[in-house]
Amino acid sequence: MALPKAEDSSTPNLKLNRPEIIVSDKQLMLFSVATDIKLTIKTLEAGHPVLITAFYSNGLNLLKALKTHLQKKLPNKTFKEQREYRSQYNKLSKLILIEVIDHKLAVKKAPFIGWLEKLYPETSDFLLPFVKIQGLNSAWQWYENGISIPVLRNKIHPYYGTYFPTRFDHLILFDNWLNRYEGAKKSAIDVGIGSGVLSFQMVKHGFQTVYGTDTNPNAIVGLTDYMKDTKLSRKITLDFGHLFANASKATELIVFNPPWLPKSHDLDRLDEAIYYNKNLFPQFFESAKQLLLPEGKLVVVFSNLAQITEVTKQHPIEAELAEGGRFVLEKCLKRKVKIASDKTKRDQHWRDKEEVELWVLTHA
């Protein structure tokens, strides 16, 4: 399936990540407030899709009933039951569909979701899983309303499918370091630019040009769309690719905010479900050595999350300093993270030990 470019984007060849349209030639069971819930759930368990009709709230009610049904079968008392519950819910909830007609949800009292037109310009009528619509709806609210970041003057407007920070301790740590930075500010490279926060911080602190890369096409398209022809677009150059992408010119500052957890299948209980593979850091440090000017600084924003949750004892930056021979430590700044809200339902007992870290390295 061909994927579209974003509106007003100068990156026509990038294929966006988006929920996949459902194509079904089967007759779908229709669900409304009058439909038998137990029969509907049996239909889902038999592998047959169900179409939400009449009101948007019918989809919410069916999902709630599905959760209750699964909780009775799999009461979440053991890790195995928890994993099975999540697996069953993900499988069955994706069979609950909703229709889009003329880029709008074909039910009453439904939210307006602009992504339906932005992400699917080639077709106006299609089906999507209801849970995907929920995700699109949340993402549209963030995009439209914007998100305030303590270290930035203006809100950011994250594009669909793009990572944006929900915790800010590491950004404050980086901003404090930038306040004291006395090196050259001609250029910088932001590896994994995401929603652009670190790059925006560097521009705020006087960097003339920033080269930002990302392997997520939505990040590149979204930032291109966000910056348009503003001052930011003249200072920040975007490139799609792994790590340094097509960077070839050495720079005074390289900044990297990598994933904080190694890949594992047993970590979905944690709130930071972003993982790095074993090759990421060796590849990064090798490339960084080639692209950092002799007097330049390499800044890695990280956390002790993996160590305090006993995911791994190895710290990838400490390992590089001990064994890599490419860089030496100038300083490591740390900041305790804000304690989790009492309202959170997730077990975050480890938060009182968590620290974000800012590693400043120079050439060995």
Side-chain angles (χ1 to χ4, degrees), residues 275-329:
Y275 311 118
Y276 61 84
N277 64 49
K278 63 181 181 180
N279 298 319
L280 178 69
F281 283 95
Q283 290 174 354
F284 167 76
F285 286 119
E286 180 57 35
S287 297
K289 181 174 175 60
Q290 310 303 320
L291 288 167
L292 188 67
L293 286 168
E295 303 301 317
K297 310 285 187 189
L298 174 61
V299 172
V300 185
V301 182
F302 208 61
S303 163
N304 65 347
L305 182 62
Q307 285 73 47
I308 62 173
T309 53
E310 299 181 350
V311 172
T312 179
K313 291 181 179 179
Q314 186 183 54
H315 191 298
I317 304 166
E318 291 176 352
E320 168 63 23
L321 291 171
E323 304 163 11
R326 290 172 281 230
F327 296 97
V328 293
L329 178 65

Side-chain angles (χ1 to χ4, degrees), residues 62-109:
L62 181 53
L63 283 177
K64 184 177 179 181
L66 177 61
K67 287 179 180 178
T68 301
H69 170 74
L70 291 174
Q71 284 165 356
K72 289 178 181 177
K73 285 177 61 178
L74 304 160
N76 280 329
K77 291 182 179 178
T78 66
F79 177 73
K80 186 176 180 181
E81 284 179 347
Q82 291 172 10
R83 187 168 54 186
E84 181 61 23
Y85 169 84
R86 285 191 294 272
S87 174
Q88 285 293 312
Y89 179 75
N90 289 336
K91 177 183 175 184
L92 299 180
S93 64
K94 287 176 183 175
L95 292 173
I96 301 172
L97 308 180
I98 193 165
E99 189 174 14
V100 175
I101 297 177
D102 194 24
H103 290 126
K104 297 179 181 64
L105 295 175
V107 289
K108 296 176 182 177
K109 296 188 176 180

Side-chain angles (χ1 to χ4, degrees), residues 127 193 342:
L127 298 173
I193 193 170
D342 293 336

Side-chain angles (χ1 to χ4, degrees), residues 166-221:
T166 55
R167 296 160 54 182
F168 310 119
D169 300 281
H170 61 300
L171 303 177
I172 294 170
L173 193 62
F174 182 51
D175 216 63
N176 291 341
W177 180 80
L178 284 171
N179 271 326
R180 298 189 296 271
Y181 174 78
E182 296 179 348
K185 294 183 177 180
K186 187 176 180 182
S187 68
I189 298 176
D190 182 358
V191 177
I193 193 170
S195 54
V197 176
L198 298 184
S199 289
F200 298 157
Q201 285 180 265
M202 288 186 279
V203 169
K204 182 186 79 170
H205 284 278
F207 276 82
Q208 295 175 33
T209 61
V210 179
Y211 178 82
T213 70
D214 210 293
T215 56
N216 180 0
N218 295 42
I220 303 299
V221 168

Side-chain angles (χ1 to χ4, degrees), residues 11-39:
T11 52
N13 296 322
L14 288 185
K15 295 181 178 180
L16 292 173
N17 295 320
R18 64 180 188 176
E20 188 173 347
I21 289 173
I22 301 297
V23 178
S24 178
D25 54 1
K26 299 177 183 177
Q27 186 171 0
L28 304 178
M29 177 181 180
L30 305 182
F31 181 82
S32 68
V33 68
T35 311
D36 186 287
I37 289 277
K38 290 184 178 179
L39 176 61

Side-chain angles (χ1 to χ4, degrees), residues 115-154:
W115 295 129
L116 297 176
E117 186 169 0
K118 267 186 173 285
L119 298 178
Y120 304 94
E122 79 285 6
T123 180
S124 59
D125 303 348
F126 49 93
L127 298 173
L128 282 175
F130 189 84
V131 289
K132 297 295 184 183
I133 287 293
Q134 287 182 299
L136 286 165
N137 182 36
S138 297
W140 184 251
Q141 302 308 315
W142 293 323
Y143 177 74
E144 278 286 278
N145 299 328
I147 297 168
S148 296
I149 305 290
V151 295
L152 297 178
R153 300 183 188 96
N154 300 318

